[in-house]
Structure formats: C-alpha cells, structure tokens
Amino acid sequence: MKYAGLIEIALTFGGFLIFIIWQMRSLKRDIRAREEREANEANEQSGDPADGNGP
C-alpha cells in the first residue's frame, strides 16, 4: 500500500481539526454561560425591581 502514509496524515489532520472545533465550541458555550451568570448576579446585587428581587 503506497498511500498508507497519506491516509495516516489525512486521518491525523482530520482528527486534529475535529478536536479544535470541539474545543472552540465548548469554550464559547462556557464563556456564554459565565457571562449570563455574571449578569444575573449583577442584577440580583443591584436590586433591580424588574426581576422582582428588589426592595
């Protein structure tokens, strides 16, 4: 099989790309969740009457 090296390179590169895409999606999801959590905490601390937790 003279193409075994090329197949191995293609599979390795493909796996690497899939890993990068997976990690970037996970990172974006975590950042979005953190920003939402921080916004909710800021609203709770400010006593915003719109959310029903105010004075």
Side-chain angles (χ1 to χ4, degrees):
M1 249 181 88
K2 60 183 182 178
Y3 296 112
L6 291 176
I7 293 171
E8 183 178 355
I9 290 171
L11 289 174
T12 301
F13 185 70
F16 181 71
L17 282 178
I18 290 171
F19 179 76
I20 293 294
I21 291 168
W22 171 51
Q23 288 297 303
M24 292 303 292
R25 289 180 68 199
S26 177
L27 181 63
K28 287 178 184 178
R29 185 186 67 230
D30 291 345
I31 289 172
R32 194 176 320 118
R34 187 193 70 205
E35 288 173 348
E36 289 177 5
R37 186 179 63 240
E38 289 175 349
N40 289 338
E41 288 175 357
N43 284 341
E44 289 175 4
Q45 288 179 356
S46 68
D48 189 6
D51 63 5
N53 291 333

